[in-house]
Structures are given as C-alpha cells and as structure tokens.
Amino acid sequence: MKWLSYCAILLCLSLLIVALPSLAAAETYAEIRSDYQRLMQSSQLQRQRSHWEKLIRRFDRFAEQNPNHVDAEKALFLKAKTWDGLSYVAGSGPDARQAITHYLDMVKRYPDSKLADDALFHAGQIAENRLKDDESAYAYYLQLEQQYPGADMVGDAKARLAVLPKPVNVTVPESVPVPEVKKTELVGAAPRLENIRYWSGPEYTRVVLDLNAPVVAVPHLLKGDDPRLYFDLVYTEIAPSLQAEIAIHNGVVQRIRTSQFNQQKIRVVIDLERLNEYKLVTLDNPYRIVIDVLGKAKQGAAQGKQPVVQTRPQPADDSIASILDTAANRQPTLHVPQQSKQQGLRLIVVDAGHGGKDPGAVGPRKVLEKNVTLEMAKRLAEKLRKELGVKVLLSRSTDEFIELRDRTAYANRVSADLFISLHANASNSSKAYGLETYFLNLSKNNQAAEVVARENGTTLQDVGNLEAILFDLMANAKINESSRLAAEVQQALVAGLQPHYSNIKDLGVKQGPFHVLLGATMPSVLVEAAFISNKREEQRLNSRDYQERVADAIVKGVKSYAATMNQVARK
C-alpha cells in the first residue's frame, strides 16, 4: 500500500510539472496589465529592476503565444511602455533605445492598430528628450504624420515637426536586437512633483515646480476667452501633500491646478487672467521647472494664500556669480509671516545624514558616517523630547537610503518648527579636525564649497554652477532664524565638548547651498560633529560618550535659540 501511495504521489507531481507551461500560458492580458498598473502606482516597486523585467517577459510571452489575440497588440505596446518607464527611472540610455525598438516593432507587426500612432509619438519623445537625437525623433514624427493622418496624435507630431530642424536625409533607424535581461539592480525612485511655489514681481509672476528627479515637460499655451498654460509631466507622481489647486488672483495668474491626467503623466495648469507670453527653463541641483509668466499685475489685485515675494527684475545671467555681484541693488523684500515665532517649538525633525546605499564618509578604521549619524540622531531625539517636551521625528530610524530633497519635504509635510541634519566631516588631509555648523545660503568660501560638494554628492564645479538658486533662498523665509540657530548650536557644541576632550577646534558657523536644506520652510541647520577622516575624531564619533555629549550640546543650543526667539517675538 505504501508503495502504491508513493507511486500515486509521483504521478501527481509529474502531471503538475507537465502542466506548469500551460498554466503560465493561461495568464491573461488583464492580469498582467493589472500588475503593470500596480507598478506604475508604487515608487517602492519601481526601485527594483527585477519588477520591470518580469513584466516585460510576461507581456512578451503573452504576445508571442497569442499573436492573433485581440489584446496582443496592447501587450506589445505595454511591453514597450514598460521599457520606457524603466529607462526613465533608471536614467538608462540603452533601456531608452530598447523602448524605441519595441514601440517600432509593435507598429511593424500591427500597423492598423489604434495604438500605432501613440507608439510612434512615444518613440519620438524618447529620441528627442532623452537621447537628444533630433534626427530620429523627426523621422518618427514624420512617419506618424504620413501613415496616420487622421490619428489623434498627429497634431502633437506636427507641432514637434514645426520645432525640430529638418534633417537632410530622413530615415528611421533600424531596430537593435534585444539583449538578455540582466541581473537585478537598484534603480532610482519615480520622478515626483514635490511642491509648487510662486512669487509676483512688477513685470512677471514666477511659478516653480519642485521635483525630486529630472522630468520631461511638454508645455502648451491655449488661447481664447479662458487662456491657460499647461504642462504635461511624463512618468511623474504627485506628492500626497501637494495641493490640487493654489489660488493666486494677482492680476496675471488666477490659479494653479494639478491632477493625474492619465497613467503616463500628470498635468499642471496655470489659469491666466489674460493671454501673456511666458518663459520656461529647466534647472538641476535641485531639479525644478521655472516658468515666468510675463505681464504686470493689476493694481489692487488680491494675493494668493502662499507667501508672495516682491522682487526686482533679475539679470539675464542668473548664475551665482551674477547674483552675488548685483546683490546690493537687487536684494528682494521678503514678507515673512511672524506666526511661528509666537507659537514656540512643538515639533523638531532630526535628520541622520546619508544611509542605505549611501555610506557617507568612511574613516581610516572603516567607521561609516551613516552609522554614526543615526546613533547621534536617536540620542538627540530622545534628549529633545525629555528636556524640551517637544515632539521629535526622525527622517530615518534605520539604515535606509533617502533622497536629500525628501528629507526637508518630510519636515515640511509634518509642519516641523526646526530641522537639524547631523553629519561627520571629512577631508583629504588626515590632520583636519574640528566642529562646524552650516545654514543655507550662498557662499564663496572654498572650504565650505568642498563640504557642500561632498554632502550634496556632487563636484566643486557643480557647486559653482547651481543656477537660479536665489529663488530657493527667497522661498526659504527662515534664513535669518537659521543663522541664529546655527550660531547657538555651534557655541553650545564648543562649550559642551571642550571640558571633556582636548583639541576641540571651533571652525565656526558657515553657509552654503546644501541640497538637504533646500526647500525647508522652517529654520534648518547642518551639523558637522567632527572629522571622521581624522583617526582621533573617528574614534570619538564612534563612542557612546561623545555621541551623548554632542546631543546634550545641541539640546542646549536649541534651548538658547528658543529663548532668543521668544525675546524677539515680544519686541
């Protein structure tokens, strides 16, 4: 009997193994499409390349096994679109070319499909905006116009053809072979529209879209009785905290509206009081799209809910050097709300620098900055809660990677009153040592620029090329308060550590355009607690006693700052 039972089990297993291919083949297009939509809605899933690649294989398998199925062309289109999305979040040129290849393959295999014009337009967008290949983009748009004159995307294609330079020989590049799927690797999070800001000047209204990654923006100006300017941001999410509508009513702009237009893009609409010209520029470090709507505001026009900065016209050269050189006669007048000064401290966000795949600086004994800052952050949070009676939140409580702009975005979202970012300094010289505290501002100091470059994960050249950072400074109405907080914290650190340790060097309070501080709407500072590149200070940073004393000193600095600000508020 046992032998018969054993044979029966083997028979069942054999039948199951034989049936597996047919089970896989039975997967429906609707099931794969549902998982595709789930991936598009989750930035966490998008971080893993394997999720994209599995979907690509599933769409490909469905299309190959069901070439005559009514959904086969849709499967091929979404396969190309999955390559498209992967190329965007990974910032990969080869993946972008794969997306084009599969869009063209779909058109070739199903030329009568209603999706053929969409596939050609997407191919043109990738070539034009990501690969900077205007000649190929022109060819794809031209193919769309000629083969599908009545399709709904032909108008957009014609608009791009009118802008792009016409190549001498217009040919569609041949498709490239599809490489084997590579092993799983991390990719960046999907682009996200974090915030929308604006201010009104005498000659224009400036609108800035804050982003956490570069985004392809397609502008459109609609004329008529209700003129409006709108932007389609492809493969972009909307931050949960972002307002769906921002009222302005300043005589130039009525309002700004944001919505999820479809699965592929979000739409930002600027409703205008009247038809005006506009200028657009896309900037890096941090990523943002700046739109200037030209036109004088009507006298007596009501202002919107957000703080408005009145400013003089900016020079054509909007570089840091130009801003500094003309600062005397172009200093903006800031209208800063005073409410926060009167309410006292209720909530503080403590940010542990670096984390996850970003170890920060590494000491000579292999101590990692990300581990040291996390321990200090936990100790500081505990002491702030106990001694100040305030609520304290950590930007990260584990060894995880968080984008720099997401840290202040989190502090803004929870309406924090202070933002304190903890770091360990580093230098090419093993003899460098000391303490310093930073706040956000422009800086021509070379040593400060080196720290900025390291903490921003950029180069000195990039620090020198942070264009239009003036807007970020103007939008941060807490620079003066940040400088006071930095001064109090730095003094407390030196006074608190000198009685217990030799060679405590006061490097002072400095300023610089740190990405982790950009966009903060509350007073914010960055503390460099010691040089991890120095053996003596590396040992201190890794010790519980030093971490505790740094935390105690920062608490005293925050107390002194709060007392000072209370005095200012009473005047």
Side-chain angles (χ1 to χ4, degrees):
M1 292 293 292
K2 290 183 178 179
W3 183 82
L4 290 174
S5 300
Y6 180 70
C7 289
I9 292 172
L10 285 178
L11 178 61
C12 291
L13 288 174
S14 300
L15 292 173
L16 180 59
I17 292 171
V18 171
L20 284 176
S22 61
L23 288 174
E27 187 174 35
T28 66
Y29 167 76
E31 291 170 338
I32 310 173
R33 183 175 181 272
S34 176
D35 287 343
Y36 169 84
Q37 291 173 333
R38 188 162 65 92
L39 176 63
M40 291 301 102
Q41 294 168 2
S42 172
S43 59
Q44 183 176 2
L45 291 176
Q46 290 173 12
R47 291 177 184 271
Q48 294 292 336
R49 185 181 182 92
S50 60
H51 295 146
W52 298 91
E53 292 174 340
K54 287 177 183 177
L55 269 177
I56 289 169
R57 287 193 293 266
R58 290 167 67 191
F59 279 127
D60 184 66
R61 183 169 56 239
F62 177 88
E64 294 302 320
Q65 293 176 348
N66 305 276
N68 298 319
H69 195 282
V70 66
D71 292 324
E73 62 194 63
K74 298 177 184 177
L76 285 179
F77 180 79
L78 283 187
K79 181 178 76 168
K81 200 171 180 182
T82 307
W83 275 112
D84 198 347
L86 171 59
S87 74
Y88 199 88
V89 299
S92 168
D95 290 339
R97 285 185 281 273
Q98 284 297 318
I100 291 177
T101 295
H102 292 292
Y103 278 132
L104 298 180
D105 179 61
M106 181 266 168
V107 174
K108 182 178 179 180
R109 294 170 63 174
Y110 298 93
D112 297 328
S113 170
K114 293 182 179 180
L115 293 171
D117 61 316
D118 295 88
L120 286 171
F121 188 76
H122 288 321
Q125 289 284 283
I126 296 171
E128 179 184 357
N129 297 310
R130 272 181 262 165
L131 300 179
K132 307 303 180 185
D133 184 358
D134 289 348
E135 184 173 336
S136 294
Y138 193 97
Y140 303 144
Y141 295 139
L142 184 62
Q143 183 181 351
L144 194 166
E145 180 189 34
Q146 292 177 349
Q147 294 185 11
Y148 305 98
D152 56 0
M153 297 303 297
V154 73
D156 291 327
K158 288 181 177 179
R160 299 314 306 152
L161 288 170
V163 174
L164 292 173
K166 185 177 180 179
V168 177
N169 296 313
V170 184
T171 57
V172 179
E174 293 182 1
S175 298
V176 296
V178 182
E180 293 184 3
V181 175
K182 298 179 181 179
K183 63 181 181 180
T184 301
E185 60 187 62
L186 280 174
V187 298
R192 183 170 60 252
L193 177 59
E194 299 277 9
N195 191 24
I196 296 178
R197 299 173 290 170
Y198 74 90
W199 85 81
S200 296
E203 304 292 337
Y204 64 89
T205 295
R206 173 164 291 182
V207 176
V208 175
L209 311 182
D210 287 326
L211 302 149
N212 70 338
V215 168
V216 177
V218 183
H220 303 272
L221 180 61
L222 298 182
K223 303 177 182 180
D225 295 334
D226 298 309
R228 56 191 180 277
L229 178 64
Y230 72 87
F231 301 85
D232 288 334
L233 308 182
V234 298
Y235 299 115
T236 306
E237 297 178 346
I238 301 175
S241 60
L242 190 67
Q243 292 178 256
E245 182 174 318
I246 301 172
I248 299 180
H249 299 296
N250 64 355
V252 177
V253 175
Q254 296 182 29
R255 69 186 67 83
I256 305 170
R257 296 178 284 125
T258 309
S259 64
Q260 190 76 45
F261 186 73
N262 56 31
Q263 293 179 5
Q264 183 190 7
K265 60 191 176 186
I266 65 173
R267 177 164 290 180
V268 179
V269 181
I270 303 176
D271 291 312
L272 306 173
E273 293 284 357
R274 58 185 181 274
L275 188 63
N276 292 290
E277 295 182 352
Y278 73 96
K279 294 181 180 179
L280 177 146
V281 63
T282 302
L283 301 172
D284 298 333
N285 298 323
Y287 299 108
R288 58 205 184 279
I289 298 170
V290 181
I291 309 107
D292 284 344
V293 181
L294 308 182
K296 296 182 179 180
K298 297 176 181 177
Q299 294 294 327
Q303 300 296 339
K305 297 179 180 179
Q306 293 190 352
V308 177
V309 183
Q310 304 293 341
T311 178
R312 300 177 184 274
Q314 297 299 317
D317 178 8
D318 206 17
S319 64
I320 287 181
S322 174
I323 293 169
L324 288 173
D325 292 340
T326 59
N329 59 357
R330 296 187 185 276
Q331 187 66 27
T333 301
L334 298 176
H335 300 279
V336 183
Q338 301 295 322
Q339 184 178 7
S340 62
K341 293 182 180 180
Q342 300 170 355
Q343 291 179 338
L345 300 180
R346 298 162 300 158
L347 172 60
I348 299 173
V349 169
V350 176
D351 171 55
H354 308 278
K357 66 180 183 181
D358 175 18
V362 181
R365 296 185 179 87
K366 307 305 180 185
V367 175
L368 303 182
E369 180 182 2
K370 68 174 184 177
N371 296 333
V372 170
T373 58
L374 182 58
E375 288 302 314
M376 283 194 296
K378 290 178 178 178
R379 301 188 196 288
L380 176 58
E382 181 181 356
K383 293 177 183 295
L384 287 169
R385 294 186 188 108
K386 182 178 179 180
E387 298 188 30
L388 272 70
V390 297
K391 183 177 181 180
V392 182
L393 299 175
L394 295 173
S395 63
R396 68 178 181 95
S397 57
T398 59
D399 183 19
E400 61 180 315
F401 174 75
I402 302 175
E403 295 285 352
L404 295 178
R405 288 302 297 268
D406 287 343
R407 298 167 188 254
T408 46
Y410 171 70
N412 291 341
R413 188 162 62 249
V414 298
S415 301
D417 297 308
L418 295 181
F419 179 82
I420 303 172
S421 187
L422 301 179
H423 292 259
N425 217 332
S427 171
N428 292 329
S429 171
S430 61
K431 296 180 180 180
Y433 69 99
L435 308 155
E436 53 192 354
T437 306
Y438 285 83
F439 66 97
L440 179 68
N441 210 328
L442 297 173
S443 174
K444 279 188 173 179
N445 181 286
N446 290 333
Q447 291 181 341
E450 291 177 0
V451 177
V452 170
R454 185 177 65 81
E455 297 295 1
N456 287 354
T458 59
T459 65
L460 281 172
Q461 182 179 0
D462 290 329
V463 174
N465 292 333
L466 291 175
E467 304 102 326
I469 201 171
L470 180 61
F471 174 79
D472 295 291
L473 299 174
M474 293 166 64
N476 184 341
K478 302 294 181 181
I479 295 174
N480 291 335
E481 293 180 36
S482 295
S483 66
R484 289 193 183 99
L485 175 61
E488 296 291 350
V489 168
Q490 179 67 15
Q491 291 175 16
L493 281 168
V494 174
L497 294 173
Q498 278 182 340
H500 304 282
Y501 301 94
S502 60
N503 298 314
I504 295 296
K505 186 176 182 180
D506 183 6
L507 297 176
V509 173
K510 298 175 182 177
Q511 47 192 307
F514 290 89
H515 287 181
V516 74
L517 301 181
L518 286 173
T521 58
M522 72 293 299
S524 53
V525 297
L526 185 148
V527 177
E528 299 279 4
F531 277 75
I532 201 169
S533 53
N534 179 296
K535 285 186 178 180
R536 179 183 64 245
E537 296 203 338
E538 177 193 31
Q539 184 176 2
R540 290 176 180 176
L541 284 166
N542 203 35
S543 70
R544 180 186 179 92
D545 287 345
Y546 189 85
Q547 294 169 4
E548 291 277 356
R549 288 185 171 119
V550 166
D552 286 333
I554 293 176
V555 170
K556 289 181 180 179
V558 172
K559 283 183 178 178
S560 298
Y561 163 81
T564 301
M565 296 313 298
N566 286 337
Q567 293 175 1
V568 171
R570 287 195 293 267
K571 290 181 179 179

